Amino acid sequence: MVAKLRTLPKTYTRIESWVHTGTILILDRDLGFVFSLGRILDRAGYAALPARSVADAAALMEQFHLEIDLLILDPSLEGAVAFARKVLGAQGHLKAIAIVAGRGESSAAFPEVDASLAKPEAWDEASRAAWLDTIQQLFGPERDRDASSGAG
């Protein structure tokens, strides 16, 4: 056990030095969706954090003093819009994506969002590409340059 504990700082240092392109908080009660999108984002170099409720999201941000770059949320979740507005007010650089019921639908409940995307029925190549393309557009070309140059 002691030998394992001695290796933690090296592992921690390696993880901390890994450059990611942004921190994303996913707020949705559908654990399957949150998990799947989180894996896709992790593989694309983003730090994806899951939350199934507003209370979970708020506790996560408070406990770890998180500053996020993108909030993906289901605006129909109780308290989600108020939470998003609070976080947007505190973190001016933050972007937001609303999860909507179907294609072509917008999020009238939360008009401040930067984009609206439908939750896919299945994660195929097209749905993965649509989500990643939208997220990459929101982060902008300067974020892509920072990631490729090793800046963080």
Side-chain angles (χ1 to χ4, degrees):
M1 179 77 163
V2 174
K4 287 183 180 180
L5 290 176
R6 288 186 185 146
T7 63
L8 286 178
K10 290 180 183 176
T11 304
Y12 179 74
T13 303
R14 187 172 63 239
I15 291 169
E16 284 298 302
S17 65
W18 178 69
V19 176
H20 63 84
T21 57
T23 302
I24 301 171
L25 178 61
I26 307 167
L27 176 55
D28 188 89
R29 71 177 63 85
D30 180 349
L31 187 58
F33 171 76
V34 170
F35 178 75
S36 297
L37 181 57
R39 286 187 63 187
I40 291 165
L41 294 172
D42 285 340
R43 288 179 181 160
Y46 297 97
L49 308 169
R52 292 187 60 200
S53 69
V54 171
D56 289 348
L60 185 66
M61 290 186 70
E62 184 177 320
Q63 182 178 0
F64 295 105
H65 306 288
L66 292 176
E67 185 167 313
I68 58 174
D69 301 299
L70 177 65
L71 174 62
I72 299 173
L73 76 148
D74 176 355
S76 70
L77 197 62
E78 185 176 338
V81 172
F83 171 77
R85 286 182 175 137
K86 180 180 176 183
V87 176
L88 284 167
Q91 299 182 18
H93 68 283
L94 182 66
K95 304 286 186 184
I97 295 177
I99 302 166
V100 295
R103 292 181 184 203
E105 188 176 316
S106 67
S107 178
F110 187 37
E112 297 94 332
V113 295
D114 298 287
S116 297
L117 287 169
K119 191 181 294 187
E121 292 180 25
W123 284 106
D124 57 11
E125 191 60 37
S127 60
R128 281 192 295 274
W131 275 85
L132 284 174
D133 287 349
T134 300
I135 290 166
Q136 289 167 347
Q137 287 174 14
L138 290 177
F139 277 105
E142 65 279 349
R143 189 66 68 132
D144 293 337
R145 281 196 304 274
D146 288 349
S148 65
S149 69

